[in-house]
Amino acid sequence: MRRTDIPQFGPLQGVKVVHSSISIAGPFCAQLMADMGADVIWIENPKAPDIARGGGFHQGWSVELNRRNMRSMALDIPSEKGREVFLKMLAATDIFTEASKGGQYDRWGLSDEELWRANPALVIVHISGFGQAGEDSYVSRASYDPIAQAFGGLMYVNSLPGMAPFPSSQDVGDVYSGYLGAVGALAALYRVRETGRGESVDIAQYEAVLRSQGQNMMAELNTGNPISHTPFPNAELVAGYGAYECSDGKHCVVMTLGPAVFKSVMEVLGLPYGTDEIPAGSARLYHNTPGGKMIDEAMAKFCAERPASEVERIFSGAKVPASLVYSYTDMKDNPHFQARETFTTYPSARYETDVIAPNVQPVLKNEPGLVWRSGVDSGFDNEDILRDFGFDESQIEALRADGVIGYREDSCPQLTHR
């Protein structure tokens, strides 16, 4: 697909982004901008493609989601000729993002200052496990999402009595880092367009994880008292607050918190309101109080006698925060997900099936984002990209012959929806 054939859309149309990163954090950062209309070029090493490629069912789908709306180029950046191509590309680029061990580009002779010599107005985003500066022995450490969760406190929060600490299974350290990277890139770009002076954004994965934590972290830091470890915050204290098993074996989350909500819950459960045990105007009661014990018993009985969908409907109708614990299949079939088009479908360039994936978020009314392409093979757009940056056919062929650029078809299973 030629650049002239790519649809123009979204608030970032006209912004050119180059990213060189593997796994999740870096590609997710760039993909957020691609969904908003930026022209995003994904650079991989032709000798060692992204580890998400050819990784079976789960990793293969990561390419479809976190590399959609991108053009792919396989370029050996640290090689002598690859470096020349890379710097020529960055001279006409707005934002460059990379994800590697701290200081990797410095070790390649491609420091921020060197990149700014090619383009003084370039925004550079570095995503690494431990940052670009700090204690040297940490900066150069390798990291993946569970390492960031361990170092950044999330596994500490998730530790339960009698169990080994465990990470969230959904790569939240990668995703949080990607969000911060995109925010930092666009904030820097806004300023660069006023000053003309480039900026470098330093994202440490563990800091992104730490920043996602709130009241428990603040309480321990400021009082010195270790946090209490619970699978559901406040559920160990507040009556009528938690995930309750229902008659169909599913769970519904109900949160009895706030004066108006508290009163509505008492009405739904048929409990006396305005008594010594359950005083009027209460925002919450605790488990160890007489009223709290009444609420806990009544809530458990109420939920156990009804399917989760009915519990959700009754409490939501009474203006009480409540939700069925939804599976991905439940989400796909839910009318609200459908009405908001939370999921979208697009053809896969790699599998013999369409892709069902989250739609563009956030939703913009006047300049909405768009999904125009799935993930593609490594180096799929080499020639098109190089022509964009002024390389002619003979130069492109020479780069191919020298192994500076390459192409590799994904060795991934042909999947169909079940």
Side-chain angles (χ1 to χ4, degrees):
M1 172 179 281
R2 297 283 301 189
R3 181 71 190 95
T4 53
D5 298 327
I6 297 174
Q8 299 297 293
F9 64 92
L12 296 183
Q13 56 186 292
V15 174
K16 188 177 291 293
V17 177
V18 171
H19 88 93
S20 177
S21 47
I22 63 172
S23 195
I24 297 172
F28 182 74
C29 171
Q31 198 277 314
L32 291 171
M33 293 183 277
D35 271 3
M36 290 294 161
D39 174 17
V40 176
I41 296 171
W42 166 25
I43 296 180
E44 297 176 79
N45 186 333
K47 300 173 185 176
D50 193 324
I51 60 173
R53 293 192 181 277
F57 185 89
H58 292 289
Q59 285 192 326
W61 285 117
S62 180
V63 174
E64 295 290 354
L65 175 60
N66 294 327
R67 283 81 166 170
R68 71 188 184 191
N69 285 0
M70 298 180 186
R71 293 188 290 164
S72 170
M73 183 174 185
L75 175 68
D76 186 359
I77 292 175
S79 69
E80 182 179 352
K81 292 183 179 179
R83 172 193 173 101
E84 293 175 6
V85 173
F86 177 63
L87 291 175
K88 186 171 182 179
M89 291 175 64
L90 293 193
T93 294
D94 297 297
I95 299 169
F96 169 61
T97 75
E98 65 89 10
S100 60
K101 295 178 186 176
Q104 180 62 65
Y105 277 71
D106 288 348
R107 291 187 287 275
W108 283 348
L110 292 168
S111 66
D112 290 347
E113 288 68 28
E114 185 67 19
L115 302 188
W116 283 327
R117 272 190 276 274
N119 181 355
L122 182 68
V123 172
I124 305 164
V125 179
H126 297 287
I127 300 176
S128 63
F130 295 88
Q132 301 299 307
E135 175 62 40
D136 289 344
S137 62
Y138 283 92
V139 169
S140 59
R141 284 188 181 186
S143 179
Y144 281 108
D145 182 89
I147 302 300
Q149 292 195 44
F151 196 74
L154 201 56
M155 286 179 66
Y156 167 65
V157 173
N158 279 346
S159 61
L160 298 173
M163 293 178 62
F166 55 91
S168 167
S169 64
Q170 294 306 304
D171 302 308
V172 295
D174 285 324
V175 171
Y176 293 154
S177 298
Y179 278 128
L180 281 185
V183 169
L186 297 176
L189 181 63
Y190 180 85
R191 186 61 177 162
V192 166
R193 290 193 166 178
E194 300 230 342
T195 66
R197 185 178 64 183
E199 182 60 272
S200 180
V201 181
D202 182 2
I203 304 294
Q205 216 177 12
Y206 83 88
E207 289 176 338
V209 168
L210 182 67
R211 184 60 184 84
S212 73
Q213 297 164 60
Q215 59 193 30
N216 286 336
M217 171 191 67
M218 294 297 290
E220 181 168 322
L221 286 175
N222 290 282
T223 68
N225 298 320
I227 66 169
S228 57
H229 296 274
T230 173
F232 201 118
N234 292 327
E236 66 172 8
L237 300 174
V238 179
Y241 186 116
Y244 294 88
E245 187 171 359
C246 302
S247 64
D248 55 1
K250 296 184 177 182
H251 288 76
C252 188
V253 174
V254 183
M255 299 177 68
T256 304
L257 192 64
V261 167
F262 185 92
K263 182 178 180 181
S264 294
V265 170
M266 299 309 106
E267 292 172 356
V268 170
L269 297 180
L271 292 176
Y273 179 76
T275 65
D276 290 342
E277 292 81 10
I278 304 178
S282 296
R284 67 175 71 82
L285 288 179
Y286 295 106
H287 294 307
N288 58 359
T289 64
K293 293 176 182 177
M294 292 172 59
I295 294 170
D296 283 334
E297 291 174 3
M299 182 68 78
K301 182 174 184 296
F302 183 89
C303 294
E305 293 174 347
R306 296 166 176 81
S309 59
E310 183 179 349
V311 174
E312 178 191 53
R313 178 184 59 79
I314 291 171
F315 278 114
S316 295
K319 309 299 184 186
V320 174
S323 176
L324 171 73
V325 177
Y326 279 78
S327 70
Y328 298 125
T329 301
D330 292 332
M331 296 174 197
K332 184 167 67 73
D333 296 334
N334 179 275
H336 189 61
F337 278 79
Q338 293 172 356
R340 284 185 59 83
E341 299 181 344
T342 303
F343 291 113
T344 188
T345 303
Y346 48 90
S348 172
R350 304 163 61 251
Y351 300 133
E352 293 177 355
T353 180
D354 284 348
V355 176
I356 301 173
N359 211 335
V360 177
Q361 282 121 19
V363 177
L364 276 64
K365 180 178 287 187
N366 295 324
E367 294 280 357
L370 174 71
V371 179
W372 62 271
R373 190 190 219 187
S374 71
V376 295
D377 293 336
S378 179
F380 187 85
D381 301 290
N382 284 340
E383 290 79 7
D384 182 40
I385 293 169
L386 288 169
R387 291 188 198 104
D388 279 358
F389 289 98
F391 291 83
D392 62 30
E393 299 305 318
S394 63
Q395 291 172 312
I396 293 172
E397 181 54 41
L399 292 170
R400 186 185 298 110
D402 289 341
V404 178
I405 61 172
Y407 171 77
R408 183 177 301 196
E409 187 174 346
D410 273 2
S411 58
C412 51
Q414 294 301 312
L415 304 175
T416 56
H417 294 307
R418 291 170 289 181

